[in-house]
Amino acid sequence: MAFPQTRLRRLRATHALRGLVRETRLDAADLVYPMFVAHGIDRREPIAAMPGIDHLSIAHAVDEAGEAQALGVPAVLLFGLPAGKDEEGSGAWDDEGIVQLATRAIKEAHPDLIVITDLCLCEYTSHGHCGVVVQTGSEFEVDNDPTLDLLARTSVSLARAGADVVAPSDMMDGRVAAIRAALDREGLAQTPILSYASKMASAFYGPFREAADSAPAFGDRRSYQMDPANGSEALREARLDVDEGADIVMVKPALPYLDLIRTIKDDTQMPLAAYNVSGEYAMVKAAAANGRLDERAAVLEILTGIRRAGADIVITYHAKDAARWLQ
Ligand SMILES: [Zn+2]
């Protein structure tokens, strides 16, 4: 039946009617708040490219995590800025490393808050790449298989420190299976893996690299992160991670890849996380600061759109603000 019998505006007439037929609801319970914990600072240090987000000491991270939880955000995602870096990234699996210490402190203060730890080497390597670098002359390669052992070792250290979920973000082939095997071998079979399954080599990570001090010293990450043009390959990446034992799969970034969120959700039927990344956050903040966008309305529309596309979980720097607005 068409117009004039059919009039879609009938159900848009009032706030109550619109609410009754709303298909997607945004809830603080679906959000994850990322945080940057830094070694050797005793106060908050603002990250210029990401207004409202700071480098945190462990004590401030405990406060900030508690604040997020009080607003109804059930989980935080931790990144670390370590005391030092080396060729291998050994700070990643140091049981007294910055993320391990922060995880213990946060879990002690807020036992019911879910602590997800990012699992990668790039914040800990002197060269800033996500794996073992082999250099021949001016050429370099990130060597896949030797990296797997280091990631597996890191996953055990993080889980032992109390991480509720480990989240490998490196994009090495076979890492999920290696991490699953290591966790199981060490009696950590109950620790879930949230894999950054379909992670693009994206321009939208720019502000994060300042925040995590993880820009590669040479080259770029296009030999391991995905080509933004490839949708079928993104699905293959997600399927492989599911086969290897991932419990949750991620699409990163979110906004240029809403189609992949939908495809991967429909295909895998897995719990799906989308990472609304630093560049997406910084764009909204910059436009809002210039009076070009209503920040609150824009953020809630963006997060709803990511949920509507098929994401069950949205990782976002807007989490605390959004949770406050949703109250
Ligand atoms: Zn990395």
Side-chain angles (χ1 to χ4, degrees):
M1 208 174 287
F3 179 81
Q5 293 89 344
T6 299
R7 292 176 183 269
L8 294 183
R9 287 186 53 192
R10 284 185 198 119
L11 295 177
R12 295 177 200 151
T14 67
H15 179 75
L17 274 171
R18 291 191 294 271
L20 188 67
V21 297
R22 185 159 297 131
E23 298 173 33
T24 307
R25 287 185 199 277
L26 193 60
D27 189 328
D30 305 317
L31 305 179
V32 175
Y33 185 56
M35 301 197 306
F36 300 95
V37 192
H39 177 90
I41 61 170
D42 55 9
R43 57 197 170 86
R44 292 166 172 273
E45 289 179 356
I47 299 165
M50 302 174 68
I53 304 294
D54 300 327
H55 286 144
L56 303 167
S57 66
I58 290 177
H60 284 116
V62 170
D63 291 349
E64 186 97 0
E67 212 178 290
Q69 189 183 27
L71 289 164
V73 176
V76 294
L77 171 61
L78 299 186
F79 296 92
L81 288 87
K85 305 191 184 214
D86 58 30
E87 193 67 18
E88 264 199 313
S90 63
W93 59 84
D94 179 353
D95 291 337
E96 301 299 313
I98 183 68
V99 171
Q100 285 84 347
L101 294 174
T103 299
R104 279 190 210 109
I106 292 170
K107 287 303 292 184
E108 197 179 308
H110 315 294
D112 297 330
L113 180 72
I114 300 164
V115 172
I116 307 171
T117 51
D118 180 78
L119 198 183
C120 198
L121 303 179
C122 53
E123 288 139 49
Y124 304 92
T125 50
S126 43
H127 45 70
H129 280 286
C130 303
V132 175
V133 167
V134 181
Q135 232 161 337
T136 25
S138 60
E139 301 288 295
F140 79 96
E141 194 194 337
V142 175
D143 201 353
N144 194 88
D145 299 7
T147 303
L148 302 184
D149 293 336
L150 306 184
L151 294 169
R153 201 166 157 183
T154 303
S155 73
V156 171
S157 174
L158 292 169
R160 281 200 184 128
D164 296 294
V165 179
V166 293
S169 59
D170 51 282
M171 290 301 281
M172 297 301 120
D173 288 322
R175 80 282 172 65
V176 173
I179 291 165
R180 185 72 272 157
L183 290 171
D184 291 358
R185 201 164 50 230
E186 298 296 327
L188 297 160
Q190 288 299 321
T191 302
I193 299 172
L194 189 180
S195 79
Y196 288 62
S198 308
K199 180 179 181 182
M200 306 296 156
S202 172
F204 291 92
Y205 304 151
F208 176 94
R209 289 184 184 159
E210 176 197 328
D213 186 25
S214 64
F218 49 84
D220 56 43
R221 298 200 171 101
R222 279 182 281 192
S223 73
Y224 41 108
Q225 295 178 352
M226 281 194 54
D227 183 335
N230 293 359
S232 302
E233 187 188 348
L235 177 55
R236 290 181 71 202
E237 280 283 7
R239 284 178 178 167
L240 283 170
D241 282 9
V242 173
D243 287 346
E244 290 180 27
D247 300 280
I248 306 171
V249 290
M250 187 199 294
V251 173
K252 180 184 182 184
L255 292 181
Y257 304 100
L258 295 174
D259 57 328
L260 302 183
I261 293 173
R262 170 51 59 197
T263 305
I264 292 171
K265 177 66 188 175
D266 287 348
D267 183 271
T268 64
Q269 294 293 302
M270 293 291 290
L272 191 141
Y275 202 140
N276 177 216
V277 301
S278 59
E280 298 172 313
Y281 174 84
M283 285 197 299
V284 172
K285 283 293 192 183
N290 283 317
R292 305 270 157 77
L293 272 183
D294 173 342
E295 182 177 354
R296 173 183 169 145
V299 167
L300 293 177
E301 182 176 335
I302 285 170
L303 299 181
T304 301
I306 296 170
R307 291 268 298 118
R308 190 204 62 245
D312 304 291
I313 301 162
V314 184
I315 302 167
T316 179
Y317 301 98
H318 298 294
K320 283 194 336 184
D321 288 337
R324 211 172 282 123
W325 294 328
L326 289 167
Q327 276 178 346

